[in-house]
Amino acid sequence: MQRPYQCGIDAAIDVIDGKWKVLVLWALDSGARRFGETKRLLPGISEKVLAQQLRELEADGIVHREVYDQVPPKVEYSLTERGRALNAALAPLNAWGKERIALLEAEAEAEAEAEAEAEAATAAAVTAVAPAA
């Protein structure tokens, strides 16, 4: 039995909860991919975790798993219509995240420049005070 949801966001988070699910969705956004190809697009994910995430997304109707009857075995994963709708809903979150990255990078750059200026001012003050040899 599914747990009761408090609101729509609660129901959505239940599907995309975890570090990797949203990244798996984005990896599958451009079309069907095999397991290994999907893993290469997600550096740092283990095979075990990727397999688990794909199974959970399949159980939620977000990902379709297509098994081809051939040797060697071939399996492809793709987004269902529900999965494509979920990715579309996540697009504004992606845009917000990109803006945040740019803001954080600008803040880090400004901080580094301020530190460099402070170090230069300190060095100039020390040089002005130091006795000539």
Side-chain angles (χ1 to χ4, degrees):
M1 182 173 152
Q2 205 154 27
R3 68 182 180 93
Y5 296 116
Q6 302 302 314
C7 63
I9 291 177
D10 189 23
I13 295 297
D14 189 40
V15 173
I16 61 171
D17 191 29
K19 178 179 179 180
W20 295 103
K21 284 186 181 175
V22 172
L23 298 175
V24 170
L25 287 171
W26 282 107
L28 297 176
D29 191 53
S30 61
R33 297 192 187 279
R34 295 181 74 171
F35 184 90
E37 183 181 6
T38 305
K39 186 176 181 318
R40 281 189 294 279
L41 292 172
L42 303 169
I45 192 170
S46 69
E47 288 186 15
K48 177 184 175 185
V49 170
L50 178 57
Q52 176 186 357
Q53 300 294 279
L54 287 166
R55 277 193 303 274
E56 290 175 11
L57 288 167
E58 182 182 9
D60 286 329
I62 304 299
V63 167
H64 171 72
R65 181 176 186 260
E66 182 75 29
V67 180
Y68 295 90
D69 188 23
Q70 66 183 49
V71 175
K74 178 181 176 183
V75 178
E76 286 185 337
Y77 296 90
S78 60
L79 295 177
T80 63
E81 187 61 39
R82 191 178 295 170
R84 287 188 291 278
L86 179 55
N87 255 2
L90 291 170
L93 185 61
N94 180 47
W96 184 88
K98 287 180 178 180
E99 288 176 12
R100 176 164 166 72
I101 290 168
L103 177 66
L104 292 173
E105 288 173 348
E107 287 174 353
E109 186 176 313
E111 188 176 306
E113 287 175 10
E115 286 177 13
E117 289 175 7
E119 288 176 12
T122 301
V126 168
T127 304
V129 174

